Each structure stands twice: as C-alpha cells, then as structure tokens.
Amino acid sequence: MKLFWMKNKVLVATLLAVLVLGVFFWGGLRLFAGDRMQDALIRTSAAEAEATPTPAPDQMPAPTELPAEMISADILGLEWKYRSVIPRISNTVPHEAKSWKEGDKVEDSLAVTAITRTGEIYETLLHRTLDLSTLTVTRYVDEKGYRPNILRLTDEKNDFACVLLEKDLSLLVADNGLFAASEWMDAKKDAAAVAQYLGTEITGQTQDRGSTRDRDHNIIELETAYELADGRWITLAYTRNTFHGIQVHEDKVSMGEEVCFLADVTMDPSIVHLVSEACFTRGDLNDIAEGDMTPAEVEAMYRRFLTAALGKRFDPNDPTKEIGYQLAPGQLVYYRDDSCYRENYYHIQDTFVIMDIAAKSGYIVRADCSKLYNQQDPALDLRAIDYDHMGGEEYIAYVRNIAEQTWGKENVKDVDVNAVYDGNYCTIDPYMTDGRWYEFFFEGGMLTEIQHFATERSNVCGWAADSLYVNTITGEEFSQEW
C-alpha cells in the first residue's frame, strides 16, 4: 500500500488551515479516515451541549434544539460535495465515471416538470421549501453509453443538489446543504417515507454506513442504508440529527460502493475483475523479441543503477582497479508475456537486488534491495541521518542520482518526499516525464524496495495492466486510481 501524507502539499496545507480555523471558531471538528474529507460545522454554543443518551439505533436526540433561524452549514463543503456530476451526500469519495459530459439543453416542458418534481422531493422528504424560480436543470450524458441520461438540478447558491433519471424523473440523489439542526431523528420513519415516495416499502434489512462524533463522543453525522422491497437500496445521511441526504442505489452491491449504478461498481469481485491476469513463460536469452532490449543493454542499466545506489565497485585485492557490478551466469533470466497486456521482462537476482526490468520500455517493474547505501560518497550516505531529518535534501539527492543515472536525466521530472513514518522509515518518489512514477523505500537510511506506478494516479504498483479492470455487467474497462 502506498504511504503518503506529504503528497499534494497544497491540499494538505489547506486542510490543516481549515482544521485550525475549525478549532478556533467552532470547536467541533472531525477527521474521516482513508479518503474522507475533513469538515467543521458552524453552530452556536447551545449546539455544543452534550447529547442525551441514544434510545435506539434509528433514533437519537440532538445535543439541544437550535433556534429556527440558526442554520448549520458544512463550511468545507458544499462546493466539494457537489463538484461531482452525481453529488455526494457525505464526505466519502465513490467512483465517478469520467465519461459524463453535459448534454443538449433540456427542453422547457421537461425542465418545468423536473423542477416541480424536485420541489416536491425537498418539501415532502427533506422539509425544505425551495425557490423554484432559481433552479437550473442540466442534462448529463454518458459518452460511453453505459449509464442512462440524468438531470442535475441546483441553484446559484449551490446550497442543494438533486439528480433525477431523465427517462422517468425518478430520484437518484438529493442533498440539502442548509438546514436547522433537529431535536430528534427517526431514520426508520424517514426511510419509510422515502420508500413510499419511490412507490415501494422498506424491508427489514439495514446497514450502518458509519458515523462521526464530536469531542464529547456525541454523534454528529450518520449514514444508514435500507433495503427496498423492489431490490433497490437507499442511503440516508444525517448531520446533527437532521435528515439532509438521500441516495438511491440499483441494488446492495452498488449501495456497498455508494454509487447509484452497477456500471459504477469498481471493487466488488462478483462484478469486477482484471482484464487480463499476468501470464509469463521463460524465454531464451539468445532469442530476444524484436524491439526488446538486449541482455547487454539490461546489464548496463543494472550496473548504472547499482553504481548510483552503492558507489563505484573496486577489486578488493587492488583498490585502484574498478571492476563494476557484473552478473554471473543464471542471474539474468528473460521472460515472455503471454497476456498481451504487459511487456516481456528481464529478471535479475543477485546479492544486491531482486529486480524485474520491462524489456521494451526499460522501467523497473519492482525491486527488492538488500539495504543499499552509497559506500563511496559520504554526501549520499543516508545512514547517519536521524529520524527527525529523514526525507530531507540528502534523501532527495540520493534518489535523484539513482533515477537520473538509471533512466537518464532528461526522463526525470521531479523527486519529492512521500512519507516519514514509524521512527525509522521513509519513502521518496521520483516522477518521470512520461507520467509514471516510483516509490523508493528506506529503512534506517538504506534502500530496501522500489515500487513502480504506471500512471500519475495509479494506486496499484507493478504493470499498468495490473490495475486495468473490467465491469462485467457493462464490459467497460477502467484503471484503479486514487
């Protein structure tokens, strides 16, 4: 798994600033794990009072009732949650297809009906009266044809977002960005009302989608899902006991990934699998495929890498005689790709590294290193650097030297620290001009591992095809990305 906390420094700095402001002005803040965004709630001191004990899973009282004119708002917000074509009702980050595009202008009669339907949804289910004269309707079309057309409605303030299926104006998502905190919540009652509006009813099957709490462990946010009698699922979202978000899912699988359509499922193994599993057979060093590097070229690359990582190598019996790094017979093996989705590759194994090198493009697919450090240049020896100073200029210089010596200076775009962690470990990332990048792992200042990522946003190391999946319901291929 990639370890990173210093990736995207601007984003991190911005989030930290929001946290500081949240503590100073509003007191309550929370941090979602994994990919969840941080947010804070504007609220009065009355809303900070302790919540009374939760009487039931579907029901809980608010810390205190706010005056009707006091409004809670997600200050990070709405802009982030509603940036997606299909808006989010929480701070999770589900898959969103990149093939959505804005379609033709919505016909006036359809727009009027969609606006009226949206007003009914918010009035009936979310208890908010919208100013219908301010609403705009935008059609979105999936260029690949895997998803039906949708209509997205909002207003200039962007304080709500609603998505309807165009074909029948049925509800997909509705989220209310502005609301007064409630004294009490009854999720089961709300779910029954939503089900009735959708023309069905809830069954007994539910799923808790998680909750967040304030510093006093009172529940601030809650997501819960309900099965409908027609096989669909709905997710309801609450903030401070206030029901503000609805999402309708095709079935339990799509609910599990917090998407509306099965076409957007990207993880469930019953629907999604690799386009092509890896399949290699051992080749002949005397029969290299056209376009692949020769064994001599691969050995030269290997020597450049080790010379940069370890320093020059001399004859132990004659310190003035440079001998370099040589591979013995059997330490270089050639493999042919039978999947048609990867390259042939060379496998190297000696006392220094176990390394796979793509035969055509020359990138290192993966490498395990025997705690390498530069034994010749003290400026590139990282072992004496204490934990508090790991990941600094010395690490950057060491990795940059390896990357430039191995692949050529012209092919290295940038080198940056990724993470410093667990008292003795560090990762540094060199980025290539062609979009691929690497993660160099260090333990106590010594290089132990290299991982390769084929694209800028790839979250699966190795071959590009190792992150290429297919949704078997639609046949759509996609790359797993963060």
Side-chain angles (χ1 to χ4, degrees), residues 31-159:
L31 180 64
F32 272 102
D35 284 329
R36 290 180 184 260
M37 293 288 292
Q38 299 150 327
D39 73 352
L41 298 174
I42 302 174
R43 48 189 176 268
T44 63
S45 58
E48 294 288 351
E50 289 189 358
T52 54
T54 303
D58 286 336
Q59 299 178 334
M60 67 177 184
T64 188
E65 184 177 8
L66 287 176
E69 67 272 12
M70 299 304 295
I71 301 296
S72 298
D74 179 343
I75 63 168
L76 254 186
L78 302 183
E79 191 277 333
W80 180 83
K81 287 173 60 179
Y82 298 168
R83 186 181 302 160
S84 303
V85 172
I86 298 180
R88 304 172 181 128
I89 63 173
S90 70
N91 284 341
T92 57
V93 187
H95 170 76
E96 181 176 39
K98 296 179 176 62
S99 52
W100 286 115
K101 71 170 185 178
E102 188 170 329
D104 296 334
K105 182 180 181 297
V106 179
E107 299 81 0
D108 290 344
S109 59
L110 178 60
V112 169
T113 306
I115 288 172
T116 302
R117 179 67 56 83
T118 299
E120 293 173 353
I121 291 170
Y122 280 74
E123 184 80 36
T124 304
L125 302 177
L126 298 175
H127 311 297
R128 175 182 174 182
T129 301
L130 299 175
D131 181 354
L132 302 186
S133 67
T134 66
L135 272 58
T136 58
V137 186
T138 306
R139 173 186 284 120
Y140 284 92
V141 176
D142 178 18
E143 289 183 293
K144 294 185 177 180
Y146 296 121
R147 300 157 186 87
N149 291 357
I150 59 175
L151 302 180
R152 193 180 192 280
L153 295 93
T154 188
D155 60 11
E156 291 183 356
K157 296 180 180 178
N158 196 41
D159 58 18

Side-chain angles (χ1 to χ4, degrees), residues 341-398:
Y341 278 83
R342 297 162 180 82
E343 296 183 34
N344 303 330
Y345 76 95
Y346 287 92
H347 178 76
I348 296 173
Q349 184 166 347
D350 64 5
T351 57
F352 302 110
V353 296
I354 301 174
M355 178 182 290
D356 295 336
I357 299 176
K360 193 178 298 291
S361 56
Y363 60 84
I364 295 175
V365 183
R366 60 183 61 83
D368 291 324
C369 306
S370 301
K371 295 187 175 180
L372 307 181
Y373 64 93
N374 196 299
Q375 303 172 18
Q376 184 184 30
D377 186 350
L380 296 175
D381 185 353
L382 310 176
R383 293 175 298 164
I385 298 176
D386 61 71
Y387 179 67
D388 289 340
H389 297 89
M390 283 184 175
E393 294 180 0
E394 301 89 346
Y395 276 80
I396 300 296
Y398 179 78

Side-chain angles (χ1 to χ4, degrees), residues 314-355:
F314 297 90
D315 187 336
N317 298 318
D318 184 359
T320 65
K321 182 180 179 182
E322 184 179 341
I323 60 174
Y325 299 92
Q326 307 296 327
L327 288 172
Q331 291 182 327
L332 179 66
V333 181
Y334 180 60
Y335 286 92
R336 288 181 175 270
D337 168 45
D338 294 330
S339 74
C340 299
Y341 278 83
R342 297 162 180 82
E343 296 183 34
N344 303 330
Y345 76 95
Y346 287 92
H347 178 76
I348 296 173
Q349 184 166 347
D350 64 5
T351 57
F352 302 110
V353 296
I354 301 174
M355 178 182 290

Side-chain angles (χ1 to χ4, degrees), residues 184-204:
W184 192 268
M185 65 167 276
D186 189 335
K188 189 172 183 179
K189 179 179 178 181
D190 293 331
V194 173
Q196 182 178 13
Y197 185 86
L198 296 175
T200 183
E201 59 185 3
I202 59 174
T203 69

